[in-house]
Amino acid sequence: MSALPYVDEHAVIVGAGADDAWSRVRDGVERALSRRWLASYARVVRADPREAGGPRPLAEGAVFPGFRVVRVVPGRELALEGRHRFSVYSLVFRIEELSDGRSRLRAESRAAFPGVAGWVYRALVIRSGGHAAGMRRMLASFARG
């Protein structure tokens, strides 16, 4: 999925080391992607996958509505991929230990939006600022713990 076009990257400083930051990301992604409305949305846009399943705690092969866990490097990286009728996308969380006992958490989004329907979807989700606002909210919640 690294061949997908770059969408954006957001970062936040976590007032904890990489191990604690990893726990926050792992647990936070589990909470965020297990929301009931996301399963409904995944059905509407015909996402793959459409339901949650697979190994827990998060490991490669775990799935959520619209996302598949494709890479887990504890304390360092969590990579998700997905697709639906308007887009093919990836979301990668990376943790970098800082010298002062804190961590930098980055979330990189990549996506392709094929066809006219994809162009419209990109305008509604990306160009509107909705995606960026959601990512900033999610990262802030991880930083708070």
Side-chain angles (χ1 to χ4, degrees), residues 129-140:
H131 167 77
M135 291 307 303
R136 286 191 301 268
R137 244 188 338 271
M138 181 185 290
L139 289 178

Side-chain angles (χ1 to χ4, degrees), residues 14 16 18-19 23 25 30-31 33-34 37-38 42 49 51 68 70 77 92-93 98 103 105 112 120 141 143:
V14 178
D19 290 339
S23 296
V25 169
E30 178 85 38
R31 272 190 315 277
L33 299 183
S34 295
W37 69 266
L38 191 57
E51 297 182 9
R68 181 177 320 282
V70 295
E77 183 176 274
V92 180
F93 296 95
L98 301 175
S103 302
L105 170 61
V120 171
S141 75

Side-chain angles (χ1 to χ4, degrees), residues 63-80:
V63 294
F64 298 94
F67 292 94
R68 181 177 320 282
V69 177
V70 295
R71 190 171 48 259
V72 174
V73 181
R76 308 264 316 149
E77 183 176 274
L78 173 64
L80 310 168

Side-chain angles (χ1 to χ4, degrees), residues 1 3-7 82-90 109-115 118-119 121-122 126:
M1 290 273 185
L4 289 172
Y6 176 84
V7 173
R83 66 177 52 241
H84 56 65
R85 65 192 222 188
F86 306 114
S87 180
V88 177
Y89 46 88
S90 69
S109 300
R110 293 182 171 270
F113 301 89
W119 183 88
Y121 185 83
R122 181 182 179 97
I126 304 298

Side-chain angles (χ1 to χ4, degrees), residues 19-72:
D19 290 339
D20 190 34
W22 170 253
S23 296
R24 294 177 188 197
V25 169
R26 184 196 60 220
D27 297 347
V29 165
E30 178 85 38
R31 272 190 315 277
L33 299 183
S34 295
R35 295 190 173 138
R36 182 170 288 143
W37 69 266
L38 191 57
S40 298
Y41 181 76
R43 280 190 297 282
V44 168
V45 298
R46 294 191 296 231
D48 177 36
R50 290 192 190 158
E51 297 182 9
R56 298 297 191 271
L58 287 188
E60 289 180 26
V63 294
F64 298 94
F67 292 94
R68 181 177 320 282
V69 177
V70 295
R71 190 171 48 259
V72 174

